[in-house]
Amino acid sequence: MEGRRRQLQLIGKMLRQRDVEPYRQALDKLKNRHNQQVVVFHKLEQLRDRMVDGSDEAIEEVMNLWPAADRQQLRSLVRNARKEKAGNKPPKSSRQIFQYLRELSENQE
C-alpha cells in the first residue's frame, strides 16, 4: 500500500508541473465518444426516414455526402421500404438502409 501511495504522490507532483489540459481533453474525448456516435446514428436515422417517407431530395443528399454510394441499390432499398411500410410489414429494408448509410459514414472517416 505504501508503494502505491508514493507512486500516486509522484504522479500528482508530475501533473502539477505540467499543463494538464491536453490530457483532460483526451479523457473528455474518450468519454464523449459514445455520445458522438449516438448523435451520428440519430442523423442517419432521420436521413433514412426522410428517404422512406418519399423525399427524393434525401437520396440526392446521400449522393452528395457519399459520392461512392450506389444510387441504384439505394433506390431499390427505398422502394422496398416504402412497400413494406404501406403493407404494414416488418421494416427489413429500412434496417438495411440504415446499415448501408452507417457503412458509408464509417468508410468516409
Side-chain angles (χ1 to χ4, degrees):
M1 292 297 255
E2 184 62 24
R4 183 174 188 269
R5 185 187 67 77
R6 282 195 312 265
Q7 286 296 315
L8 288 174
Q9 283 183 335
L10 176 64
I11 291 171
K13 178 182 175 184
M14 291 170 63
L15 287 176
R16 282 190 295 276
Q17 295 171 354
R18 296 176 188 238
D19 181 24
V20 295
E21 194 56 36
Y23 302 112
R24 189 168 293 162
Q25 288 175 355
L27 288 173
D28 286 343
K29 191 181 258 187
L30 288 173
K31 289 178 184 177
N32 291 328
R33 188 175 199 154
H34 174 71
N35 294 338
Q36 292 169 353
Q37 287 178 340
V38 169
V39 168
V40 169
F41 283 177
H42 285 302
K43 288 181 182 180
L44 293 176
E45 286 174 342
Q46 291 171 354
L47 185 58
R48 177 205 54 201
D49 291 342
R50 285 189 296 150
M51 284 192 292
V52 172
D53 290 339
S55 175
D56 288 333
E57 295 170 0
I59 294 175
E60 292 303 320
E61 184 179 342
V62 170
M63 296 308 297
N64 289 335
L65 288 172
W66 302 290
D70 185 2
R71 183 186 303 264
Q72 186 175 4
Q73 179 185 4
L74 199 55
R75 286 189 184 275
S76 174
L77 287 171
V78 168
R79 186 174 48 251
N80 291 340
R82 289 176 184 165
K83 287 179 186 177
E84 289 169 356
K85 186 175 182 180
N88 290 328
K89 295 182 180 178
K92 178 182 174 186
S93 295
S94 291
R95 285 191 289 267
Q96 289 176 341
I97 293 171
F98 178 77
Q99 289 173 352
Y100 186 65
L101 293 175
R102 190 178 70 197
E103 288 173 8
L104 288 172
S105 75
E106 288 174 355
N107 289 338
Q108 178 188 17
E109 295 173 359

